[in-house]
């Protein structure tokens, strides 16, 4: 029998001296930014019941979760996300606390990457959650914390991509598609796989929303992205014009605050998590091929645990 006592499991690795020190310094700086804005630390268990993540609106792909059983035969998962457990915590442990709540965390999430592609299954995350405030100012506060986290890396060559999850949600709900097809369409849009997206949409029943979905991954850039989107939405409202105007307001405000050189609009930014409801964003550093900052507004998530709060 082969022994595995000299290697780490796939998707994990040891960290040595310099890496540990770099992580410690970066986390200390981000923690200082969070606490200066009044955020207080919370921690959730590394293992949660599978049910916490299994509802359709907050489901993670089954194949992405690491599962085990407790001593009563109940299915547990290694925490694949922190926002969902914090929603559970707020609805159960913090109900009745003065709002808004400003919470932050620094803990590991575990996500299985079947093909790995150089990614780790074990990811240390720091994050901030602003709960009980649905204002424009709250969105700006969180975005600027994201910018501060990017700047804390010392790499000034970063960018912040902004999108609106409500645009995709509105369009896809106008089509009669299964949850599986919805996930596939989202994946094609996020990957900007124009050919596969068109082929998939061609097989669906005709509806004006199809053409807009087909164009979503092409709507990225600066001010010109808003102009192209406005032309595309002309005569087809469904509340989409209002959502686009709100995103434009956020973009202009951040530009006025001196972030223009680091901003990109991407209406094809359709995060994997179903719980995002409006503003979404991702942050990138030069020479790193995947997002290092990610988040968005999730106004309906906490209500699924019995406490209706914007967040």
């Amino acid at each position: 029998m082969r022994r595995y006592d000299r290697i780490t499991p796939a998707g994990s690795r040891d960290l040595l001296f310099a890496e540990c020190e770099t992580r410690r310094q970066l986390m200390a700086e981000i923690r200082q930014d969070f606490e200066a804005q009044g955020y207080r630390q919370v921690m959730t268990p590394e293992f949660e019941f599978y049910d916490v993540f299994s509802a359709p609106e907050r489901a993670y792909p089954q194949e992405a979760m690491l599962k085990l059983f407790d001593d009563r035969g109940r299915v547990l998962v290694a925490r694949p996300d922190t926002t969902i457990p914090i929603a559970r915590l707020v609805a159960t442990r913090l109900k009745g606390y003065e709002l808004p709540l400003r919470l932050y965390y620094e803990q590991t999430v575990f996500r299985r990457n079947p093909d790995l592609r150089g990614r780790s299954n074990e990811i240390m995350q720091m994050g901030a959650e602003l709960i009980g405030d649905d204002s424009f100012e709250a969105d700006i506060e969180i975005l600027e914390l994201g910018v501060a986290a990017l700047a804390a890396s010392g790499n000034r060559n970063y960018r912040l991509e902004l999108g609106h999850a409500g645009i995709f949600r509105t369009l896809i709900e106008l089509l009669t598609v299964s949850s599986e097809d919805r996930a596939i369409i989202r994946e094609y849009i996020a990957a900007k796989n124009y050919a596969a997206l068109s082929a998939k949409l061609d097989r669906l029943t005709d509806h004006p929303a199809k053409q807009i979905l087909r164009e979503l991954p092409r709507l990225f850039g600066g001010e010109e992205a808003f102009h192209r989107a406005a032309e595309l939405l002309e005569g087809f409202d469904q509340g989409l014009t209002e959502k686009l105007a709100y995103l434009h307001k956020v973009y202009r405000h951040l530009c006025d605050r001196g972030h223009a050189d680091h901003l990109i609009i991407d209406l094809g930014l359709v995060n994997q998590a179903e719980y995002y409801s409006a503003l979404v964003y991702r942050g990138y550093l030069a020479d790193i091929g995947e997002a290092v900052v990610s988040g968005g507004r999730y106004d309906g998530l906490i209500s699924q645990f019995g406490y209706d709060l914007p967040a």
Side-chain angles (χ1 to χ4, degrees):
M1 179 185 297
R2 183 177 179 183
R3 292 180 58 85
Y4 298 95
D5 57 348
R6 298 193 180 193
I7 60 174
T8 62
S12 67
R13 65 187 183 91
D14 301 312
L15 298 181
L16 297 182
F17 319 114
E19 290 176 298
C20 293
E21 179 63 15
T22 298
R23 174 184 284 192
R24 187 191 67 77
Q25 291 178 358
L26 181 58
M27 291 176 69
E29 185 167 345
I30 295 173
R31 186 185 308 118
Q32 185 176 16
D33 288 336
F34 288 166
E35 292 179 349
Q37 293 295 321
Y39 287 76
R40 302 173 66 187
Q41 187 176 9
V42 294
M43 299 176 68
T44 65
E46 289 195 354
F47 298 101
E48 296 266 1
F49 285 113
Y50 171 74
D51 293 353
V52 173
F53 301 95
S54 64
E57 299 83 359
R58 56 181 186 263
Y60 265 76
Q62 284 225 31
E63 63 274 13
M65 291 191 281
L66 303 172
K67 307 179 190 68
L68 65 158
F69 296 92
D70 69 5
D71 58 359
R72 296 171 60 182
R74 295 173 296 188
V75 182
L76 307 179
V77 297
R79 177 181 55 221
D81 174 85
T82 292
T83 297
I84 293 173
I86 286 181
R88 172 194 55 72
L89 180 152
V90 168
T92 55
R93 300 290 306 281
L94 297 179
K95 201 167 189 176
Y97 274 62
E98 183 178 354
L99 299 174
L101 292 167
R102 287 178 168 83
L103 310 176
Y104 81 88
Y105 60 86
E106 46 187 67
Q107 55 192 30
T108 305
V109 297
F110 304 88
R111 297 174 184 168
R112 181 173 176 270
N113 293 289
D115 54 357
L116 287 182
R117 291 176 292 180
R119 297 180 181 176
S120 177
N121 288 339
E122 185 181 19
I123 308 159
M124 172 58 73
Q125 288 188 343
M126 295 188 71
E129 313 286 337
L130 178 48
I131 296 165
D133 189 341
D134 61 359
S135 68
F136 171 79
E137 291 75 17
D139 283 351
I140 295 299
E141 179 178 321
I142 286 290
L143 286 168
E144 294 205 312
L145 280 175
V147 170
L150 289 166
S153 70
N155 185 338
R156 300 300 301 175
N157 190 4
Y158 62 82
R159 73 178 189 272
L160 188 68
E161 295 185 352
L162 303 176
H164 198 300
I167 293 175
F168 173 78
R169 287 168 68 102
T170 298
L171 291 168
I172 201 69
E173 286 167 6
L174 292 171
L175 305 179
T176 304
V177 297
S178 65
S179 58
E180 181 180 355
D181 281 344
R182 178 180 178 132
I184 291 171
I185 292 169
R186 179 192 288 109
E187 179 184 342
Y188 290 157
I189 291 174
K192 300 194 184 302
N193 189 337
Y194 305 119
L197 176 63
S198 289
K200 185 69 177 177
L201 292 173
D202 285 344
R203 293 194 289 270
L204 302 180
T205 304
D206 282 340
H207 191 285
K210 282 175 52 175
Q211 182 55 31
I212 303 175
L213 281 170
R214 198 186 308 271
E215 295 298 320
L216 274 189
R218 294 182 168 88
L219 297 174
F220 63 93
E223 285 285 349
E224 72 279 4
F226 290 108
H227 298 319
R228 297 200 309 271
E231 291 173 0
L232 189 62
L233 296 177
E234 188 175 357
F236 184 90
D237 195 345
Q238 301 288 337
L240 296 177
T241 301
E242 181 181 353
K243 293 177 175 64
L244 185 66
Y246 183 81
L247 183 60
H248 199 182
K249 180 181 177 182
V250 170
Y251 175 79
R252 292 305 315 161
H253 184 87
L254 291 176
C255 287
D256 292 343
R257 294 290 294 267
H259 303 303
D261 291 343
H262 299 287
L263 294 180
I264 296 177
I265 294 302
D266 188 354
L267 296 187
L269 183 55
V270 286
N271 290 34
Q272 180 190 50
E274 282 276 4
Y275 55 71
Y276 289 118
S277 57
L279 179 74
V280 288
Y281 57 90
R282 283 183 181 168
Y284 293 85
L285 295 173
D287 303 322
I288 296 179
E290 58 185 299
V292 297
V293 168
S294 180
R297 179 163 286 282
Y298 52 97
D299 286 346
L301 177 61
I302 301 175
S303 66
Q304 296 173 30
F305 294 95
Y307 192 19
D308 191 8
L309 291 175

